[in-house]
């Protein structure tokens, strides 16, 4: 296939400059009202306003239209509330909107919830992904003039399992060894995305990234939970001994990496995306406490570190995740640009300035869930 390419320096999002394609895309973004999805929608919209963006999102507890409020009224943007398991709806959307690109974020995404109730994870992450792939399989090659159709499946490093301190980081050839219902469901969906390329030639790409953080992160995840609990003077629950290690990827760096995968990635390939920022949970929480003490005005308790409380460990808690991102760097020219110190400062500042966003999320349902996990 031959692509016509042009270079528009002002829009170049990645390091290498060779390939921003000319024809506007018609892109379906699933889960676009969630954390990473909404950051990506905004990123893509700001990057190329000629592209048609359709967001499909069921608005579960994690989906929030406030995440997309600034795009409302834009002619090239459409929001559709719906479920990725609804095949007739998806077929209609693909056809009517002449979609050539799917960027698939929609998922149940929280490990603790998957331990409490795995059913929704099987339904959305496995059946939902399968439903999208099936619909796209029958749709993509019937498009008359689509130069670069793509199904980008956004996945996680958790499919690779857990590392010991001395192990090398996960690479694209690390065998899958998922340990939680969440990661098992994501692993299954990755295998379907891979199989649809090999069996049906559906142009799929899989990306496996580490822990994202940044604006619009739902406050059940470690970083926003800690920020908000510090502001409310509530305990900061650290699971187990706090020595578990995660690699932290600033969400805007992730969006740039996905851009590179869309524009330059090779169908059938997998790309690992990491922040090069391995940190022990307890160290991360202490960094957040220090930032809050420095940046927040009134706090119920200072120093915030006094709120740290070690609680019962998560069942099957993976000890360490780390990513070798050399493939996406060498093949697509991407590398992370935000250190964890810079990213946490920006994130803390965002939560301090956006109380109107997070306050309404501390609903009864959220409180009930919080009680279940921490008691
Ligand atoms: P999120 O939970 O913040 O958002 C998920 C979105 O999907 C929500 O808007 C929700 O309403 C929507 N959704 C859920 N079920 C749906 C369904 N059946 N039909 C349609 N929409 C549905 O998740 P996130 O953190 O933004 O993660 C996005 C993707 O990235 C997920 O696939 C996740 O597995 C992957 N990922 C996330 C991280 C991370 O650190 N957050 C790391 C690696 C990979
Ligand atoms: P989380 O944000 O849930 O992401 P994931 O499980 O996908 O890595 O958790 C990040 C790490 O923080 C993980 O090791 C579990 C730990 N953790 C806590 O110690 N306390 C908490 O309240 C939460 C939510 C997570």
């Amino acid at each position: 296939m031959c692509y016509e390419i042009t270079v528009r320096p002002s829009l170049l999002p990645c390091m290498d400059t060779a390939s921003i394609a000319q024809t506007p895309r018609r892109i379906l973004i699933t889960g676009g009202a969630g954390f990473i999805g909404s950051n990506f929608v905004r990123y893509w919209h700001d990057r190329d306003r000629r592209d048609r963006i359709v967001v499909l999102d069921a608005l579960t507890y994690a989906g929030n239209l406030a995440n997309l409020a600034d795009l409302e009224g834009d002619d090239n943007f459409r929001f559709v509330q719906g479920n990725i398991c609804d095949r007739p709806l998806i077929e209609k959307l693909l056809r009517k909107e002449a979609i050539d690109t799917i960027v698939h974020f929609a998922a149940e995404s929280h490990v603790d919830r998957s331990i409490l109730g795995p059913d929704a994870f099987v339904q959305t992450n496995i059946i939902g992904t399968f439903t999208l792939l099936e619909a796209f399989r029958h749709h993509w090659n019937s498009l008359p003039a689509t130069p670069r159709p793509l199904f980008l499946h956004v996945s996680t490093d958790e499919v690779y399992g857990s590392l010991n301190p001395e192990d090398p980081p996960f690479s694209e050839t690390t065998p899958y060894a998922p340990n939680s219902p969440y990661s098992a469901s994501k692993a299954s969906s990755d295998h379907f995305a891979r199989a649809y390329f090999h069996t049906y030639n559906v142009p799929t790409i899989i990306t496996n990234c580490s822990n994202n953080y940044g604006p619009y992160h739902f406050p059940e995840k470690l970083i926003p939970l800690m920020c908000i609990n510090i502001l409310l003077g509530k305990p900061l629950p650290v699971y187990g001994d706090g020595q578990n290690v995660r690699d932290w990827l600033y969400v805007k760096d992730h969006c740039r990496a996905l851009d590179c995968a869309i524009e330059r990635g090779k169908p059938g390939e997998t790309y690992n995306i990491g922040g090069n920022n391995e940190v022990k949970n307890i160290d991360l929480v202490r960094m957040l406490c220090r930032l809050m003490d420095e940046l927040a005005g009134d706090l119920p308790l200072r120093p915030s570190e006094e709120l740290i409380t070690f609680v019962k460990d998560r069942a099957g808690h993976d000890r360490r995740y780390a990513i070798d991102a050399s493939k996406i760097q060498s093949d697509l020219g991407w590398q992370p640009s935000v250190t964890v110190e810079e990213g946490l400062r920006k994130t803390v500042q965002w939560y301090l300035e956006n109380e109107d966003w997070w306050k309404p999320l501390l609903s009864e349902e959220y409180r009930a869930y919080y009680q279940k996990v921490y008691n």
Side-chain angles (χ1 to χ4, degrees), residues 107-313:
E108 288 293 336
S109 68
H110 192 40
V111 174
D112 290 326
R113 285 183 188 258
S114 82
I115 295 167
L116 288 171
D119 311 48
F121 289 72
V122 172
Q123 199 56 39
T124 288
N125 300 2
I126 305 178
I127 308 292
T129 302
F130 163 74
T131 306
L132 280 171
L133 283 164
E134 258 306 85
F136 196 61
R137 166 162 94 91
H138 292 286
H139 166 77
W140 75 276
N141 55 12
S142 67
L143 290 168
T146 301
R148 46 209 171 116
L150 181 66
F151 187 112
L152 177 68
H153 176 61
V154 179
S155 190
T156 168
D157 59 358
E158 302 192 25
V159 297
Y160 298 121
S162 184
L163 293 168
N164 291 315
E166 66 282 5
D167 289 339
F170 302 130
S171 77
E172 287 80 0
T173 54
T174 302
Y176 274 32
N179 291 321
S180 72
Y182 164 67
S183 53
S185 67
K186 291 297 290 187
S188 170
S189 62
D190 292 10
H191 291 325
F192 272 104
R194 177 190 160 91
Y196 269 60
F197 172 78
H198 286 279
T199 308
Y200 304 116
N201 295 322
V202 176
T204 63
I205 288 177
I206 301 167
T207 56
N208 296 88
C209 69
S210 55
N211 286 58
N212 283 224
Y213 67 107
Y216 303 102
H217 205 179
F218 191 80
E220 66 188 352
K221 303 279 167 68
L222 181 70
I223 288 177
L225 180 93
M226 296 294 163
C227 291
I228 290 171
N229 281 13
I230 292 170
L231 289 170
L232 300 176
K234 289 171 72 172
L236 307 179
V238 174
Y239 297 167
D241 60 6
Q243 299 297 308
N244 303 64
V245 173
R246 296 292 181 267
D247 171 59
W248 293 97
L249 173 65
Y250 194 60
V251 65
K252 287 179 191 162
D253 272 343
H254 185 201
C255 292
R256 266 194 318 112
L258 296 177
D259 183 348
C260 292
I262 292 167
E263 294 299 2
R264 304 187 211 138
K266 194 166 156 224
E269 292 291 327
T270 286
Y271 300 97
N272 280 357
I273 306 169
N276 223 357
N277 284 309
E278 274 188 69
V279 188
K280 285 181 185 154
N281 289 344
I282 187 63
D283 294 339
L284 188 92
V285 173
R286 292 207 169 106
M287 286 166 80
L288 284 170
C289 289
R290 283 196 292 274
L291 278 168
M292 274 289 179
D293 290 348
E294 178 195 332
L295 299 174
D298 284 344
L299 283 177
L301 183 67
R302 261 194 175 93
S304 308
E305 279 197 24
E306 287 180 17
L307 293 168
I308 292 175
T309 310
F310 289 91
V311 298
K312 187 167 168 263
D313 208 354

